[in-house]
Amino acid sequence: MSRQIKLIWDFRGGEAAKTAEHHEIHLKEYISEEKLALNITGFTILNEMHAIAFMVVTDENMIAVRDKLKPHRGELF
């Protein structure tokens, strides 16, 4: 079975939570358009000035998605 990788976008500032929440909408749209196997997305508010949006991809899709969407970082899911 292939590994699952969580691609993460960081948002900072007073509007970080709203921006991360909105970014998740675009991640879901991308998954739908590209017909990716996994449909795991979300956003997390870390504190009032830092929030993240994320999507989970497989090893096979990671490089293509990374190059197209430019996440800030990634980690094993």
Side-chain angles (χ1 to χ4, degrees), residues 20-74:
E21 184 176 10
H22 182 78
H23 192 72
E24 182 192 12
I25 294 168
H26 294 295
L27 296 175
K28 288 180 179 182
E29 290 171 349
Y30 180 81
I31 289 170
S32 178
E33 289 171 7
E34 297 296 320
K35 298 175 179 56
L36 298 179
L38 294 177
N39 188 17
I40 303 170
T41 63
F43 73 96
T44 304
I45 300 168
L46 301 174
N47 62 48
E48 64 185 36
M49 299 295 280
H50 185 198
I52 63 169
F54 66 87
M55 73 183 290
V56 178
V57 297
T58 60
D59 266 346
E60 295 81 22
N61 295 333
M62 190 277 296
I63 292 175
V65 174
R66 179 199 67 194
D67 290 350
K68 177 123 182 173
L69 300 183
K70 311 268 192 261
H72 298 124
R73 55 195 171 100

